[in-house]
Amino acid sequence: MVFPRVWDASDDQYHAYYYSAFLNIPKLKDGTYERAPNQVDNVKFFVGYQVYWMYFRYFMWNFSGKQNDIQGVYTGNVRDGNWITGISFVDNLIYGDQSQLPDSLKNNKANNKLFALPFILGLLGFVYHRKKRGDDAFSNLLMFFFTGFAIVLYLNQAGNQPRERDYAYVGSFYAFAVWIGLGVMAVASYMKKILKPAMAASLATLICLLAVPALMAQQEWDDHDRSKKVLARDLAKDYLESCAPNAILFTFGDNDTYPLWYAQEVEGIRPDIRVINYSLLGIDWYINQLRYKVNQSDPIDVIWSAEQIEGGKRDYALYRPKPNIPEDRYYDLYDLMKNYVGSDDPVNMEDRGNGEALSTFPVRKFSVPVNAAEVVANKTVNANDSVVAELRFELPKGSMMKNDMAVLNIIAANKWKRPIYFTNPQVDLGFDEFLRRDGLSHRLVPVQGSKVNTDWMMSKAMNVFVAGNANVKGVYFDEENRRHLNSIRTAYTELAIDLAAKGRKEEARKVLQKVDQLMDEENFPYGMVSRGNMHNRNSLMFLEACYMAEDKAMIEKVSMSVGKDLQQQIKYYNSLTGRKGEMMEDEKRIAEGYMEGMERMKSVYNPAIQIPGKLMAPRDSSK
């Protein structure tokens, strides 16, 4: 095509799916699409998604106003992360009646109404600049273009983006701010026609100061103030303090890893723990660093030599069964990784031509031997745990990347000597059922189906864990912060459920009340709008823990908060018409489902408490 904007035909990152959804090209049952995108679709995607959604929306956040801090996942979503003006009839025309928004969105600190005054002043400044100093104006226009629209052209972004990308265009925002400054001179120039020059300059400065920077400070200070927020450090502390001494802790992304590095290297929190970033384990130099002592953390055996993983060696291994190797039994993981996957014998490799050969593995069922007496003695397990003779698991996929193999090598070579933890229990290597929550981190243990290390976690939750000043009134937590706060709250929830299920209901109530005290409800309410209603889903899990613990006060508090938010959401979705309503139909169904879930939960647990009013009328099953 001319000027190709719809460029990725694969669906590895769901790009093709996003194109088809945006351009309304249905996917057929056989996996193909109804038609191929044409040149009109190409331009439509460029204008609607790349220019408007991924640039102009961000531009207007800064100079017109912002709806809220919820990430706008797809265009046409009238609820999340749009630009607004603050002028009701304009915003209502574009997004539907904004007065019907749930309170959790109306009260969102990123709901900033600038009334497009910075934008208007910048336009006046541009006209004035062009009139007075055309060459200067053109230079600033070039900077505005090349740090804004030119980046849009160059990046050729596909959807879905994993996060908002406004930071990529900040140079163009700076360029526009130059015109806002010159806009003061433009206003003064116009006022000189009716006032004395000195009076015009003073009055123009005062008016523009109040209309733009003062208004921006009043609207935007609360969602830009980071002075009391220490969530990143506290989250890292909670992860680290969850771990036993001399542990190995695997992380899975920047938001997990960077705070941990800071906590250890700057504040000296738990330098005995070796933090390993799973994403970097695909690189030879990073694996080689594990061979050395760091801070108070001992070296780690990774089985293979530096030469065996150099460059692209063993970047990838393929599952290739062999007729002479039965697949109905479990094979020692250490032996398999060292002597088969780590072997350069052509029999164990797959020739890909051009001198390239890939490592293979003949089975997907692995085992790690367990010395019961040893794991009890070094406190890998508790004295009352039912320890398995060997840890058995099956790899769920037919290939392994270098970072997958590095994790398995470390587990195999460790032989239960050092505690091994993961920040995320969804490791996708097959041993999820052997991961036990020790706090925020999950420990690999030779105990099957044990989900919570109750007494260890109880001690940490009640005496050690912190939550980034979420209990201090007025501290702002954006969408990503709220996700991490939910991680902390979920840890307490699972502990309370575990305690209640074991008949320790008084302790369960203490746990629930503790985390409630850690998070002020104005900063982090139980009922709150989020993408896919995940926030309310977590709160409903917390509510179930309250029911199980028979904590009547907490049941009422959480029920009222979540029920109110869901009711307001449904009312808002019902107020939307046409395309606006269609785009929010999935969110409406989720909200209705959760309302029904609250009713069912209440009837199942039948607490001795009456929540005022019926939460919602039964849905029409024919719809």
Side-chain angles (χ1 to χ4, degrees):
M1 290 185 185
V2 177
F3 188 58
R5 299 286 99 184
V6 179
W7 56 270
D8 186 1
S10 76
D11 213 15
D12 293 343
Q13 298 179 347
Y14 305 105
H15 290 169
Y17 169 79
Y18 194 91
Y19 291 139
S20 68
F22 185 91
L23 299 171
N24 196 26
I25 302 176
K27 190 172 186 177
L28 304 178
K29 292 182 179 179
D30 63 359
T32 62
Y33 291 90
E34 187 175 79
R35 63 178 178 83
N38 55 37
Q39 187 66 49
V40 173
D41 295 321
N42 205 47
V43 174
K44 180 181 176 182
F45 187 77
F46 169 65
V47 174
Y49 181 75
Q50 295 182 339
V51 173
Y52 176 81
W53 193 251
M54 296 305 295
Y55 175 72
F56 184 74
R57 179 169 61 105
Y58 300 145
F59 176 82
M60 295 299 277
W61 278 2
N62 291 273
F63 306 113
S64 177
K66 186 176 180 181
Q67 190 180 33
N68 51 60
D69 63 10
I70 302 177
Q71 178 168 317
V73 176
Y74 50 88
T75 55
N77 179 345
V78 296
R79 187 196 69 185
D80 300 341
N82 294 287
W83 67 273
I84 59 172
T85 62
I87 303 169
S88 296
F89 78 88
V90 175
D91 298 336
N92 292 349
L93 183 66
I94 302 173
Y95 307 117
D97 188 353
Q98 297 297 281
S99 69
Q100 297 294 320
L101 285 169
D103 289 346
S104 61
L105 288 182
K106 289 179 185 176
N107 299 329
N108 188 292
K109 289 187 177 182
N111 178 254
N112 299 321
K113 299 179 178 69
L114 304 179
F115 307 106
L117 292 176
F119 178 65
I120 294 169
L121 190 60
L123 292 179
L124 292 175
F126 170 72
V127 173
Y128 180 82
H129 198 190
R130 178 71 183 85
K131 181 179 178 181
K132 294 292 184 179
R133 292 287 294 272
D135 52 348
D136 277 3
F138 182 68
S139 297
N140 200 57
L141 182 64
L142 284 178
M143 184 168 78
F144 177 76
F145 174 79
F146 280 106
T147 55
F149 285 102
I151 294 177
V152 173
L153 296 171
Y154 174 73
L155 291 179
N156 198 1
Q157 287 175 319
N160 232 335
Q161 293 297 311
R163 65 185 65 85
E164 299 286 20
R165 300 296 197 182
D166 52 311
Y167 52 82
Y169 311 106
V170 70
S172 69
F173 306 156
Y174 290 156
F176 191 80
V178 171
W179 288 322
I180 290 178
L182 293 173
V184 180
M185 298 179 67
V187 173
S189 175
Y190 300 143
M191 296 185 74
K192 284 177 183 177
K193 297 177 181 179
I194 56 175
L195 297 172
K196 294 180 178 179
M199 177 66 73
S202 299
L203 191 58
T205 302
L206 179 62
I207 291 173
C208 293
L209 185 69
L210 294 175
V212 178
L215 175 66
M216 295 175 80
Q218 184 269 330
Q219 286 288 308
E220 298 180 325
W221 182 265
D222 57 0
D223 57 303
H224 288 78
D225 179 14
R226 306 294 195 267
S227 61
K228 296 179 182 177
K229 187 167 66 176
V230 290
L231 180 59
R233 190 279 311 276
D234 282 4
L235 186 73
K237 182 176 185 291
D238 291 347
Y239 276 125
L240 293 169
E241 294 294 357
S242 297
C243 300
N246 200 30
I248 296 169
L249 176 61
F250 288 99
T251 67
F252 293 88
D254 295 348
N255 291 347
D256 286 346
T257 309
Y258 290 137
L260 289 165
W261 284 344
Y262 165 82
Q264 286 189 314
E265 301 300 329
V266 178
E267 300 204 2
I269 299 173
R270 297 297 304 274
D272 60 302
I273 296 174
R274 180 66 66 96
V275 174
I276 301 178
N277 187 329
Y278 172 83
S279 303
L280 295 177
L281 277 175
I283 311 171
D284 55 358
W285 60 260
Y286 187 73
I287 297 176
N288 289 331
Q289 285 186 354
L290 302 180
R291 306 177 195 275
Y292 303 99
K293 181 181 177 70
V294 174
N295 296 324
Q296 298 172 18
S297 171
D298 296 331
I300 295 174
D301 184 357
V302 294
I303 297 181
W304 296 332
S305 67
E307 193 277 332
Q308 286 178 291
I309 59 171
E310 184 178 11
K313 292 182 180 178
R314 292 179 175 81
D315 275 350
Y316 201 63
L318 303 171
Y319 169 57
R320 293 293 183 261
K322 296 288 184 69
N324 61 327
I325 303 179
E327 295 185 78
D328 58 351
R329 50 163 290 195
Y330 291 84
Y331 292 82
D332 182 80
L333 181 62
Y334 185 93
D335 179 59
L336 182 83
M337 300 305 289
K338 181 177 179 62
N339 299 316
Y340 197 102
V341 183
S343 169
D344 290 327
D345 188 332
V347 174
N348 299 336
M349 309 281 282
E350 181 172 294
D351 188 359
R352 310 287 282 191
N354 298 320
E356 180 186 7
L358 292 179
S359 298
T360 67
F361 53 100
V363 295
R364 294 196 297 185
K365 292 183 176 181
F366 309 139
S367 69
V368 179
V370 178
N371 183 322
E374 183 179 2
V375 294
V376 170
N378 65 20
K379 298 183 179 179
T380 297
V381 299
N382 301 319
N384 60 346
D385 281 330
S386 179
V387 180
V388 297
E390 58 180 8
L391 187 147
R392 292 182 169 187
F393 64 99
E394 182 172 356
L395 189 72
K397 49 193 178 182
S399 62
M400 291 188 288
M401 301 296 289
K402 183 177 281 185
N403 42 13
D404 294 325
M405 291 183 278
V407 172
L408 294 179
N409 280 7
I410 292 169
I411 291 172
N414 184 57
K415 301 184 187 299
W416 307 106
K417 291 182 176 64
R418 296 177 66 172
I420 292 180
Y421 289 87
F422 298 83
T423 58
N424 189 329
Q426 308 300 320
V427 184
D428 196 33
L429 289 175
F431 49 76
D432 294 5
E433 64 178 324
F434 294 100
L435 293 177
R436 178 162 66 186
R437 185 183 276 282
D438 267 23
L440 253 64
S441 301
H442 297 77
R443 185 171 182 173
L444 183 67
V445 293
V447 181
Q448 198 164 9
S450 177
K451 296 301 181 184
V452 178
N453 191 2
T454 311
D455 293 328
W456 172 277
M457 188 173 171
M458 180 74 176
S459 174
K460 301 294 182 182
M462 299 303 292
N463 304 310
V464 177
F465 287 169
V466 281
N469 280 345
N471 60 326
V472 177
K473 287 189 178 297
V475 180
Y476 167 65
F477 297 94
D478 62 24
E479 184 184 38
E480 182 65 15
N481 299 152
R482 296 193 294 270
R483 185 173 72 84
H484 290 300
L485 285 176
N486 264 318
S487 296
I488 296 173
R489 183 181 278 170
T490 297
Y492 279 83
T493 301
E494 292 182 11
L495 174 59
I497 289 173
D498 180 72
L499 286 165
K502 293 174 178 175
R504 299 164 62 175
K505 294 187 178 182
E506 179 60 32
E507 291 172 287
R509 287 191 287 271
K510 289 180 180 179
V511 166
L512 295 169
Q513 291 159 13
K514 175 68 174 180
V515 71
D516 181 63
Q517 294 164 7
L518 279 176
M519 301 174 187
D520 180 76
E521 196 168 7
E522 288 185 16
N523 296 337
F524 190 61
Y526 290 103
M528 191 172 193
V529 174
S530 64
R531 288 180 282 162
N533 248 311
M534 290 302 295
H535 184 97
N536 284 333
R537 179 182 181 276
N538 285 326
S539 293
L540 288 178
M541 182 179 168
F542 185 85
L543 177 60
E544 183 167 20
C546 296
Y547 275 117
M548 292 179 67
E550 299 178 2
D551 190 327
K552 298 175 184 178
M554 289 300 301
I555 290 170
E556 182 169 11
K557 183 176 184 178
V558 178
S559 294
M560 293 300 292
S561 179
V562 177
K564 176 184 176 183
D565 186 70
L566 291 172
Q567 285 176 329
Q568 291 181 345
Q569 282 192 52
I570 295 167
K571 181 181 178 182
Y572 165 63
Y573 301 140
N574 286 334
S575 74
L576 300 172
T577 58
R579 180 64 174 164
K580 297 181 182 72
E582 291 174 11
M583 292 296 291
M584 303 310 298
E585 191 62 35
D586 286 344
E587 294 284 351
K588 177 184 174 182
R589 279 196 293 267
I590 294 171
E592 289 176 337
Y594 285 166
M595 289 291 283
E596 292 182 345
M598 288 184 68
E599 288 283 1
R600 286 194 299 271
M601 193 183 300
K602 181 180 176 182
S603 64
V604 167
Y605 288 100
N606 192 26
I609 182 172
Q610 295 298 317
I611 306 300
K614 187 169 178 62
L615 290 176
M616 68 170 288
R619 291 174 63 193
D620 184 349
S621 60
S622 66
K623 291 183 180 179

